[in-house]
Amino acid sequence: MVKFKQIIKKLKSYYGEPQVPRLVDPFELILWENVAYLVEDAKREKIFDELKRLVGLRPIDILNASLDQLDQVTKLSGMNSHQRSARLKESALIALNEFGGNLKNALELPSRKAIKALRQFPGIGEPGAEKILLFGRKLPVLALDSNGLRVMLRLGFGEEKKTYAGSYKSVREGVFDQCGDDFDELIMAHQLLRQHGKTICKTSKPKCEQCPVNSSCSFYLQKKRTMA
């Protein structure tokens, strides 16, 4: 049986101590998800900083900005800039109308209600809501982005299902009793799994021979058997 904490220990030894999350504020994390699409972290960071410079990051700042101002920012990541600008506006309206402009109120709700509240926002599904609660240190859960989920599936935690939500649930159930409830460890695991998925355990052409955890990886072992 693959031991989750041993996997994380090996990844930490390979990559070093991961960076702490840049953002922990719930509304800023929602803006981060919606301001750009399918861009590398460095470019998303520049776009996010431009939003902060030109408009501001409070719900009232986004609401008071014109769509043209928002388009100046969202067009930096390419197509569908109007759609992304509209999503920023929608996020600001929800934050103001439902939470009085202070989304931290949502994090104080019981976890299931908090997740439901956060899922009102565009671009935020259950994994994204759990990430916001994890980074805000309100819910000690192994929140995973798509990179981390791919790594966990290949390692053999859970099974790939027909839907992303189904695969996510399967992995969460498969690792639940190994995760613990320490926020620092869970955030570190999120960061390391994400980094591994982006650098080595890629969707296509994964660099399996370089992988520090390939001896525990179902995907790699099956690949070796197939090639033998």
Side-chain angles (χ1 to χ4, degrees):
M1 179 180 179
V2 180
K3 300 293 186 181
F4 175 72
K5 291 192 176 182
Q6 290 179 6
I7 294 293
I8 299 305
K9 185 177 180 180
K10 288 182 180 180
L11 291 178
K12 183 180 178 183
S13 178
Y14 185 83
Y15 291 107
E17 190 76 32
Q19 291 184 340
V20 298
R22 173 184 172 176
L23 303 175
V24 297
D25 178 84
F27 188 68
E28 291 181 5
L29 283 165
I30 289 169
L31 296 179
W32 176 270
E33 293 297 330
N34 284 287
V35 75
Y37 181 64
L38 292 180
V39 298
E40 292 297 322
D41 289 350
K43 186 170 184 179
R44 185 183 295 270
E45 190 169 326
K46 289 181 180 179
I47 296 168
F48 184 85
D49 287 343
E50 190 69 359
L51 178 67
K52 181 178 180 179
R53 185 183 73 83
L54 288 179
V55 175
L57 301 177
R58 300 176 303 168
I60 193 65
D61 297 328
I62 304 297
L63 193 63
N64 287 338
S66 68
L67 282 173
D68 285 343
Q69 287 177 301
L70 293 175
D71 283 348
Q72 286 184 58
V73 176
T74 56
K75 71 181 181 182
L76 297 175
S77 70
M79 59 183 180
N80 297 326
S81 60
H82 295 300
Q83 182 183 34
R84 289 194 298 278
S85 296
R87 286 186 170 190
L88 295 177
K89 284 279 192 183
E90 182 183 353
S91 297
L93 277 171
I94 294 170
L96 287 162
N97 291 339
E98 299 293 329
F99 306 102
N102 184 5
L103 196 50
K104 292 180 180 179
N105 294 333
L107 273 59
E108 301 302 328
L109 295 168
S111 59
R112 295 316 304 172
K113 289 185 177 180
I115 290 171
K116 183 177 180 180
L118 292 168
R119 291 186 67 180
Q120 296 179 73
F121 290 88
I124 305 298
E126 185 166 0
E130 289 186 343
K131 173 186 169 182
I132 291 171
L133 289 165
L134 173 64
F135 284 12
R137 294 177 178 266
K138 297 298 182 182
L139 181 63
V141 63
L142 182 64
L144 296 165
D145 76 341
S146 59
N147 294 289
L149 180 65
R150 180 172 61 256
V151 173
M152 293 292 283
L153 285 168
R154 286 177 173 173
L155 285 166
F157 292 102
E159 298 178 355
E160 190 157 7
K161 304 294 184 179
K162 292 182 180 179
T163 65
Y164 185 91
S167 298
Y168 186 84
K169 181 179 179 182
S170 178
V171 167
R172 284 284 310 283
E173 290 174 347
V175 76
F176 177 77
D177 62 350
Q178 297 190 47
C179 287
D181 58 2
D182 183 276
F183 281 111
D184 289 330
E185 290 184 1
L186 288 165
I187 292 170
M188 179 178 69
H190 170 94
Q191 298 289 74
L192 287 170
L193 289 165
R194 181 175 189 271
Q195 184 176 6
H196 190 56
K198 288 175 66 67
T199 56
I200 289 181
C201 195
K202 299 181 178 182
T203 304
S204 59
K205 298 182 180 179
K207 303 173 183 178
C208 294
E209 298 298 333
Q210 301 176 27
C211 176
V213 295
N214 59 18
S215 62
S216 302
C217 180
S218 298
F219 176 83
Y220 176 66
L221 296 175
Q222 178 61 38
K223 182 178 176 181
K224 283 185 68 176
R225 284 194 291 270
T226 301
M227 295 174 63

